[in-house]
Coordinates of all heavy atoms in Angstrom, one line a residue:
M1 N 10.0 10.1 -18.6 CA 9.9 9.8 -17.2 C 10.5 8.4 -17.0 O 10.2 7.5 -17.7 CB 8.5 9.9 -16.7 CG 8.3 10.0 -15.3 SD 6.5 10.1 -14.8 CE 6.2 11.8 -15.0
A2 N 11.3 8.3 -16.0 CA 11.9 7.0 -15.6 C 10.9 6.0 -15.0 O 9.9 6.4 -14.4 CB 13.1 7.2 -14.8
D3 N 11.1 4.7 -15.1 CA 10.3 3.7 -14.6 C 10.0 3.8 -13.0 O 9.0 3.6 -12.5 CB 10.7 2.3 -14.8 CG 10.2 1.9 -16.2 OD1 9.7 2.7 -17.0 OD2 10.8 0.8 -16.6
D4 N 11.1 4.2 -12.3 CA 10.9 4.3 -10.9 C 10.1 5.5 -10.4 O 9.9 5.7 -9.2 CB 12.3 4.2 -10.1 CG 13.2 5.4 -10.5 OD1 12.8 6.3 -11.3 OD2 14.3 5.5 -10.1
E5 N 9.7 6.4 -11.4 CA 8.8 7.5 -10.9 C 7.3 7.1 -11.2 O 6.4 7.9 -11.0 CB 9.1 8.7 -11.8 CG 10.5 9.3 -11.4 CD 10.9 10.4 -12.3 OE1 10.3 10.7 -13.3 OE2 11.9 11.0 -12.0
L6 N 7.1 5.8 -11.5 CA 5.8 5.4 -11.7 C 5.4 4.2 -10.9 O 6.3 3.5 -10.4 CB 5.4 5.0 -13.3 CG 5.7 6.1 -14.3 CD1 5.7 5.5 -15.6 CD2 4.6 7.1 -14.1
Q7 N 4.1 3.9 -10.7 CA 3.8 2.7 -10.0 C 2.5 2.1 -10.7 O 1.8 2.8 -11.2 CB 3.5 2.9 -8.5 CG 2.5 4.0 -8.2 CD 2.4 4.4 -6.7 OE1 2.9 3.6 -5.9 NE2 1.9 5.5 -6.5
T8 N 2.4 0.9 -10.6 CA 1.2 0.2 -11.2 C 0.2 -0.2 -10.2 O 0.6 -0.9 -9.2 CB 1.6 -1.0 -12.1 OG1 2.7 -0.5 -13.0 CG2 0.6 -1.5 -12.9
C9 N -1.1 0.0 -10.6 CA -2.1 -0.4 -9.6 C -2.2 -1.9 -9.7 O -2.3 -2.4 -10.8 CB -3.5 0.3 -10.0 SG -4.9 -0.4 -9.1
V10 N -2.3 -2.6 -8.5 CA -2.3 -4.1 -8.5 C -3.7 -4.6 -9.0 O -3.8 -5.7 -9.3 CB -1.9 -4.6 -7.2 CG1 -0.5 -4.4 -6.7 CG2 -2.9 -4.2 -6.1
R11 N -4.7 -3.7 -8.9 CA -6.1 -4.2 -9.2 C -6.4 -3.9 -10.7 O -6.9 -4.9 -11.4 CB -7.0 -3.5 -8.4 CG -8.4 -4.1 -8.6 CD -9.4 -3.9 -7.3 NE -9.8 -2.6 -7.1 CZ -10.6 -2.2 -6.2 NH1 -11.0 -3.1 -5.3 NH2 -10.9 -0.9 -6.0
C12 N -6.1 -2.8 -11.2 CA -6.6 -2.4 -12.6 C -5.4 -2.3 -13.5 O -5.6 -1.9 -14.7 CB -7.6 -1.4 -12.6 SG -6.8 0.3 -12.3
S13 N -4.2 -2.3 -13.1 CA -2.9 -2.0 -13.8 C -2.8 -0.6 -14.4 O -2.0 -0.4 -15.3 CB -2.8 -3.0 -15.0 OG -2.9 -4.4 -14.6
Y14 N -3.6 0.3 -13.8 CA -3.4 1.7 -14.2 C -2.0 2.1 -13.7 O -1.6 1.9 -12.6 CB -4.5 2.6 -13.5 CG -4.2 4.0 -13.8 CD1 -4.6 4.5 -15.1 CD2 -3.9 4.9 -12.8 CE1 -4.4 5.9 -15.3 CE2 -3.8 6.2 -13.1 CZ -4.0 6.7 -14.3 OH -3.8 8.1 -14.6
V15 N -1.3 2.9 -14.6 CA 0.0 3.4 -14.2 C -0.1 4.8 -13.6 O -0.5 5.7 -14.3 CB 0.9 3.4 -15.5 CG1 2.3 4.0 -15.1 CG2 1.1 2.0 -16.1
A16 N 0.3 4.9 -12.3 CA 0.0 6.1 -11.6 C 1.3 6.8 -11.3 O 2.3 6.2 -11.4 CB -0.7 5.8 -10.2
D17 N 1.3 8.1 -10.8 CA 2.4 8.8 -10.5 C 2.9 8.2 -9.2 O 2.1 7.8 -8.3 CB 2.1 10.2 -10.3 CG 1.8 11.0 -11.6 OD1 2.2 10.4 -12.6 OD2 1.4 12.1 -11.5
K18 N 4.3 8.2 -8.9 CA 4.8 7.6 -7.7 C 4.3 8.2 -6.4 O 4.2 7.5 -5.4 CB 6.3 7.8 -7.8 CG 7.1 7.0 -6.8 CD 8.6 7.1 -7.0 CE 9.4 6.4 -6.0 NZ 9.0 5.0 -5.8
E19 N 3.9 9.5 -6.4 CA 3.4 10.1 -5.2 C 2.0 9.8 -4.9 O 1.5 10.1 -3.8 CB 3.7 11.6 -5.1 CG 3.2 12.3 -6.2 CD 4.1 12.5 -7.5 OE1 5.1 11.6 -7.6 OE2 3.9 13.2 -8.4
D20 N 1.2 9.3 -5.8 CA -0.2 9.0 -5.5 C -0.3 7.9 -4.6 O 0.4 7.0 -4.5 CB -0.9 8.5 -6.9 CG -1.0 9.7 -7.9 OD1 -0.7 10.8 -7.5 OD2 -1.5 9.3 -9.0
K21 N -1.3 8.0 -3.7 CA -1.5 7.0 -2.6 C -2.7 6.0 -3.0 O -2.7 4.9 -2.6 CB -1.9 7.7 -1.3 CG -0.7 8.5 -0.7 CD -1.1 8.9 0.7 CE 0.0 9.7 1.3 NZ 0.1 11.1 0.9
Y22 N -3.6 6.5 -3.9 CA -4.6 5.6 -4.3 C -4.8 5.7 -5.7 O -4.5 6.8 -6.4 CB -6.1 6.0 -3.6 CG -6.0 5.7 -2.1 CD1 -5.5 6.6 -1.2 CD2 -6.5 4.4 -1.7 CE1 -5.4 6.3 0.2 CE2 -6.5 4.2 -0.4 CZ -5.9 5.0 0.6 OH -5.9 4.7 2.0
C23 N -5.3 4.7 -6.4 CA -5.5 4.6 -7.7 C -6.7 5.5 -8.2 O -7.8 5.5 -7.6 CB -5.9 3.2 -8.2 SG -6.2 3.0 -10.0
I24 N -6.5 6.4 -9.1 CA -7.5 7.4 -9.5 C -8.6 6.6 -10.4 O -9.6 7.2 -10.8 CB -7.0 8.5 -10.3 CG1 -6.2 8.3 -11.4 CG2 -6.1 9.4 -9.3 CD1 -5.8 9.5 -12.3
R25 N -8.3 5.4 -10.9 CA -9.3 4.8 -11.7 C -10.2 3.7 -11.0 O -11.4 3.6 -11.3 CB -8.5 3.9 -12.8 CG -7.7 4.8 -13.8 CD -8.6 5.4 -14.9 NE -9.1 4.4 -15.8 CZ -8.4 3.9 -16.7 NH1 -7.3 4.5 -17.1 NH2 -8.9 3.0 -17.6
C26 N -9.7 3.1 -9.9 CA -10.5 2.1 -9.2 C -10.5 2.4 -7.8 O -11.3 1.6 -7.1 CB -10.1 0.7 -9.6 SG -8.6 0.2 -8.8
G27 N -9.7 3.3 -7.2 CA -9.8 3.5 -5.8 C -8.9 2.6 -5.0 O -9.0 2.8 -3.7
A28 N -8.2 1.7 -5.5 CA -7.5 0.8 -4.6 C -6.2 1.5 -4.2 O -5.7 2.4 -4.8 CB -7.0 -0.4 -5.6
P29 N -5.7 1.1 -3.0 CA -4.5 1.7 -2.6 C -3.3 1.3 -3.4 O -3.1 0.2 -3.9 CB -4.3 1.1 -1.1 CG -5.2 -0.1 -1.1 CD -6.3 0.1 -2.1
L30 N -2.3 2.3 -3.5 CA -1.2 2.1 -4.4 C 0.1 1.7 -3.4 O 1.0 1.1 -4.0 CB -0.8 3.3 -5.2 CG -1.9 3.6 -6.3 CD1 -1.6 4.9 -6.9 CD2 -1.9 2.5 -7.4
K31 N 0.0 2.1 -2.2 CA 1.1 1.8 -1.3 C 0.7 0.7 -0.4 O -0.5 0.7 0.2 CB 1.4 3.1 -0.5 CG 1.6 4.3 -1.2 CD 3.0 4.4 -1.8 CE 3.3 5.8 -2.3 NZ 4.0 5.7 -3.6
N32 N 1.5 -0.3 -0.2 CA 1.1 -1.5 0.5 C 1.5 -1.3 1.9 O 2.5 -1.8 2.5 CB 1.8 -2.8 0.0 CG 1.2 -4.0 0.5 OD1 0.2 -4.0 1.1 ND2 1.9 -5.1 0.3
R33 N 0.8 -0.4 2.6 CA 1.1 0.0 4.0 C 0.6 -1.0 5.0 O -0.3 -1.7 4.8 CB 0.5 1.3 4.4 CG 1.1 2.5 3.7 CD 0.7 3.9 4.4 NE 1.3 4.9 3.7 CZ 2.6 5.4 4.1 NH1 3.2 4.9 5.0 NH2 3.1 6.5 3.5
C34 N 1.3 -1.1 6.1 CA 0.9 -1.8 7.2 C -0.4 -1.2 7.8 O -0.6 0.0 7.8 CB 2.0 -1.7 8.3 SG 1.6 -2.7 9.9
T35 N -1.3 -2.1 8.2 CA -2.6 -1.6 8.8 C -2.6 -1.4 10.3 O -3.7 -1.2 10.9 CB -3.7 -2.6 8.3 OG1 -3.5 -3.9 9.0 CG2 -3.8 -2.6 6.9
K36 N -1.6 -1.6 11.0 CA -1.5 -1.5 12.4 C -1.8 -0.1 12.8 O -1.2 0.8 12.5 CB -0.2 -1.9 12.9 CG -0.2 -2.1 14.5 CD 1.1 -2.8 15.0 CE 1.1 -2.9 16.5 NZ 0.1 -3.9 16.9
K37 N -2.9 0.1 13.6 CA -3.4 1.4 13.8 C -2.8 2.0 15.2 O -2.3 1.1 16.1 CB -4.9 1.4 14.2 CG -5.7 0.9 13.0 CD -5.8 1.9 11.9 CE -6.8 1.6 10.8 NZ -6.6 0.3 10.1
K38 N -2.6 3.3 15.3 CA -2.2 4.0 16.4 C -3.2 3.7 17.6 O -4.4 3.9 17.4 CB -2.0 5.4 16.1 CG -1.3 6.3 17.2 CD -1.2 7.6 16.6 CE -0.4 8.5 17.6 NZ -1.1 8.8 18.8
T39 N -2.7 3.3 18.7 CA -3.5 3.1 19.9 C -2.8 3.7 21.1 O -1.6 4.1 21.0 CB -3.7 1.6 20.2 OG1 -2.5 1.0 20.7 CG2 -4.3 0.8 19.0
P40 N -3.5 3.9 22.2 CA -2.8 4.4 23.4 C -1.5 3.6 23.8 O -0.7 4.2 24.3 CB -3.8 4.4 24.5 CG -5.1 4.4 23.7 CD -4.9 3.6 22.4
L41 N -1.5 2.3 23.5 CA -0.5 1.4 23.9 C 0.6 1.3 22.8 O 1.7 0.8 23.1 CB -1.0 0.1 24.2 CG -1.9 0.1 25.5 CD1 -2.4 -1.4 25.7 CD2 -1.2 0.5 26.7
H42 N 0.2 1.7 21.5 CA 1.2 1.5 20.4 C 1.2 2.6 19.6 O 0.1 3.2 19.2 CB 0.9 0.1 19.8 CG 2.0 -0.4 18.9 ND1 2.2 0.2 17.6 CD2 2.9 -1.3 19.1 CE1 3.3 -0.4 17.0 NE2 3.8 -1.4 17.9
K43 N 2.3 3.0 19.0 CA 2.5 4.1 18.1 C 1.9 3.9 16.7 O 1.8 4.7 15.9 CB 3.8 4.7 18.1 CG 4.9 3.8 17.6 CD 6.3 4.5 17.6 CE 7.4 3.5 17.2 NZ 7.3 2.9 16.0
G44 N 1.5 2.6 16.5 CA 1.2 2.2 15.1 C 2.3 1.9 14.3 O 3.5 2.1 14.7
C45 N 2.0 1.5 13.0 CA 3.1 1.2 12.2 C 2.7 1.7 10.7 O 1.7 1.4 10.3 CB 3.3 -0.4 12.1 SG 4.5 -0.9 10.9
S46 N 3.6 2.5 10.2 CA 3.2 3.0 8.8 C 4.2 2.5 7.7 O 4.4 3.1 6.7 CB 3.2 4.6 8.8 OG 4.5 5.0 9.3
K47 N 4.8 1.4 8.1 CA 5.7 0.8 7.1 C 5.1 0.6 5.7 O 4.0 0.0 5.7 CB 6.3 -0.5 7.6 CG 7.5 -1.1 6.7 CD 8.1 -2.3 7.3 CE 9.1 -2.9 6.3 NZ 10.2 -2.1 5.9
V48 N 5.8 0.9 4.7 CA 5.4 0.6 3.3 C 6.1 -0.7 2.9 O 7.3 -0.7 2.8 CB 5.6 1.8 2.3 CG1 5.2 1.3 0.9 CG2 4.9 3.1 2.7
N49 N 5.3 -1.7 2.6 CA 5.9 -3.0 2.4 C 6.0 -3.3 0.9 O 5.4 -2.4 0.1 CB 5.1 -4.1 3.1 CG 5.3 -4.2 4.5 OD1 6.2 -4.9 5.0 ND2 4.4 -3.6 5.3
K50 N 6.6 -4.3 0.5 CA 6.7 -4.7 -0.9 C 5.3 -5.0 -1.5 O 4.4 -5.4 -0.6 CB 7.6 -5.9 -1.1 CG 9.0 -5.7 -0.8 CD 9.8 -7.1 -0.8 CE 11.1 -7.1 -0.3 NZ 11.7 -8.4 0.0
P51 N 5.1 -4.8 -2.7 CA 3.7 -4.9 -3.3 C 3.2 -6.3 -3.1 O 2.0 -6.4 -3.1 CB 4.0 -4.6 -4.9 CG 5.1 -3.7 -4.8 CD 6.0 -4.2 -3.8
D52 N 4.0 -7.3 -3.0 CA 3.5 -8.6 -2.8 C 3.5 -9.1 -1.4 O 3.2 -10.3 -1.1 CB 4.3 -9.6 -3.7 CG 5.7 -9.7 -3.4 OD1 6.2 -8.9 -2.6 OD2 6.4 -10.6 -3.8
A53 N 3.7 -8.3 -0.3 CA 3.7 -8.6 1.0 C 2.3 -8.7 1.5 O 1.5 -7.8 1.4 CB 4.6 -7.7 1.7
K54 N 2.0 -9.8 2.1 CA 0.7 -10.0 2.8 C 0.7 -9.5 4.3 O -0.4 -9.1 4.8 CB 0.2 -11.4 2.7 CG -0.3 -11.8 1.4 CD -1.1 -13.1 1.5 CE -1.9 -13.4 0.2 NZ -3.0 -14.3 0.5
F55 N 1.8 -9.6 4.8 CA 2.1 -9.1 6.2 C 3.2 -8.2 6.3 O 4.1 -8.3 5.6 CB 2.1 -10.3 7.2 CG 1.0 -11.2 7.1 CD1 0.8 -12.3 6.2 CD2 -0.1 -10.9 8.0 CE1 -0.3 -13.1 6.2 CE2 -1.3 -11.8 7.9 CZ -1.4 -12.8 7.1
C56 N 3.1 -7.3 7.3 CA 4.2 -6.3 7.4 C 5.5 -6.9 7.8 O 5.6 -7.8 8.8 CB 3.7 -5.3 8.6 SG 5.0 -4.1 8.9
A57 N 6.6 -6.5 7.2 CA 7.9 -7.0 7.5 C 8.4 -6.5 8.9 O 9.3 -7.1 9.4 CB 8.9 -6.6 6.4
D58 N 7.8 -5.4 9.4 CA 8.2 -4.9 10.6 C 7.5 -5.5 11.8 O 8.1 -5.7 12.9 CB 8.0 -3.4 10.7 CG 9.3 -2.7 10.4 OD1 10.3 -3.2 10.0 OD2 9.3 -1.4 10.5
C59 N 6.2 -5.7 11.7 CA 5.4 -6.1 12.9 C 4.5 -7.3 12.7 O 3.8 -7.7 13.6 CB 4.6 -4.8 13.4 SG 3.3 -4.5 12.3
G60 N 4.4 -7.8 11.5 CA 3.5 -9.0 11.1 C 2.1 -8.8 11.1 O 1.4 -9.7 10.9
T61 N 1.6 -7.5 11.1 CA 0.2 -7.2 10.9 C -0.2 -7.3 9.5 O 0.7 -7.1 8.6 CB 0.0 -5.8 11.5 OG1 0.3 -5.7 12.9 CG2 -1.5 -5.4 11.4
E62 N -1.4 -7.6 9.2 CA -1.9 -7.6 7.8 C -1.5 -6.2 7.1 O -1.6 -5.1 7.6 CB -3.4 -7.7 7.8 CG -4.0 -8.9 7.2 CD -5.5 -8.7 7.1 OE1 -6.1 -7.8 7.7 OE2 -6.1 -9.5 6.2
T63 N -1.2 -6.4 5.8 CA -0.9 -5.2 5.0 C -2.2 -4.7 4.3 O -3.2 -5.5 4.4 CB 0.1 -5.5 3.9 OG1 -0.5 -6.4 3.0 CG2 1.4 -5.9 4.4
L64 N -2.2 -3.4 3.8 CA -3.4 -2.9 3.2 C -3.8 -3.6 2.0 O -5.0 -4.0 1.8 CB -3.0 -1.4 2.8 CG -4.2 -0.6 2.6 CD1 -5.1 -0.5 3.7 CD2 -3.7 0.9 2.2
F65 N -2.9 -4.1 1.1 CA -3.3 -5.0 0.0 C -3.9 -6.3 0.4 O -4.8 -6.7 -0.2 CB -2.0 -5.3 -0.8 CG -1.5 -4.1 -1.6 CD1 -2.0 -2.8 -1.5 CD2 -0.5 -4.3 -2.6 CE1 -1.5 -1.8 -2.2 CE2 0.0 -3.2 -3.3 CZ -0.5 -2.0 -3.1
N66 N -3.5 -6.9 1.5 CA -4.0 -8.2 2.0 C -5.5 -7.8 2.6 O -6.4 -8.5 2.2 CB -3.2 -8.7 3.1 CG -3.6 -10.1 3.5 OD1 -4.4 -10.8 2.7 ND2 -3.1 -10.5 4.6
E67 N -5.6 -6.7 3.3 CA -6.9 -6.3 3.8 C -8.0 -6.2 2.7 O -9.1 -6.5 2.8 CB -6.8 -5.2 4.7 CG -8.0 -4.7 5.4 CD -7.7 -3.5 6.4 OE1 -7.7 -2.4 5.8 OE2 -7.5 -3.7 7.5
W68 N -7.5 -5.6 1.6 CA -8.4 -5.2 0.5 C -8.6 -6.5 -0.4 O -9.3 -6.3 -1.5 CB -7.7 -4.1 -0.4 CG -8.0 -2.7 0.1 CD1 -7.7 -2.2 1.4 CD2 -8.7 -1.7 -0.6 NE1 -8.0 -1.0 1.5 CE2 -8.7 -0.5 0.4 CE3 -9.3 -1.5 -1.7 CZ2 -9.3 0.6 0.0 CZ3 -10.0 -0.3 -2.1 CH2 -9.9 0.7 -1.2
G69 N -7.9 -7.5 -0.2 CA -8.1 -8.8 -1.0 C -7.4 -8.6 -2.4 O -7.8 -9.2 -3.3
L70 N -6.3 -7.9 -2.4 CA -5.6 -7.6 -3.7 C -4.5 -8.6 -4.0 O -4.0 -8.7 -5.1 CB -5.0 -6.2 -3.8 CG -6.1 -5.0 -3.6 CD1 -5.3 -3.7 -3.4 CD2 -7.0 -5.0 -4.7
L71 N -4.2 -9.4 -3.0 CA -3.1 -10.4 -3.1 C -3.6 -11.8 -3.2 O -4.7 -12.1 -2.7 CB -2.1 -10.2 -2.0 CG -1.4 -8.9 -2.0 CD1 -0.5 -8.8 -0.8 CD2 -0.4 -8.8 -3.3
Ligands
ZN101 ZN1 -6.6 0.8 -10.1
ZN102 ZN1 3.9 -2.9 10.5

């Protein structure tokens, strides 16, 4: 299996499948998604940011990793 088909959990370093959204070992999110929620005024933001991004590159909202205190 090639490296780009795997991803590493930022919290426990477990190597997960690329399509997994959460770590099966510690429950931490594996995709650093933007946390901007869908509201009546905004369609929300589901951008997946770089693993070390604290804020979304598209809208500046906190990322999921930042919210979880993983960075
Ligand atoms: Zn983990
Ligand atoms: Zn965003």
Side-chain angles (χ1 to χ4, degrees):
M1 199 181 274
D3 277 357
D4 62 2
E5 291 174 355
L6 297 170
Q7 57 186 343
T8 306
C9 174
V10 294
R11 185 152 74 180
C12 74
S13 299
Y14 176 73
V15 179
D17 289 344
K18 193 174 174 57
E19 57 272 15
D20 289 356
K21 293 191 179 74
Y22 290 88
C23 178
I24 61 170
R25 293 282 288 276
C26 74
L30 295 169
K31 308 279 190 224
N32 196 12
R33 286 192 180 279
C34 177
T35 59
K36 191 171 182 68
K37 300 286 192 300
K38 188 175 185 291
T39 68
L41 294 176
H42 195 281
K43 63 181 172 58
C45 175
S46 58
K47 181 177 176 63
V48 176
N49 287 277
K50 292 174 190 166
D52 61 348
K54 284 196 162 198
F55 297 92
C56 176
D58 261 9
C59 70
T61 303
E62 246 192 338
T63 60
L64 199 54
F65 284 9
N66 192 13
E67 190 177 80
W68 278 62
L70 299 174
L71 294 172

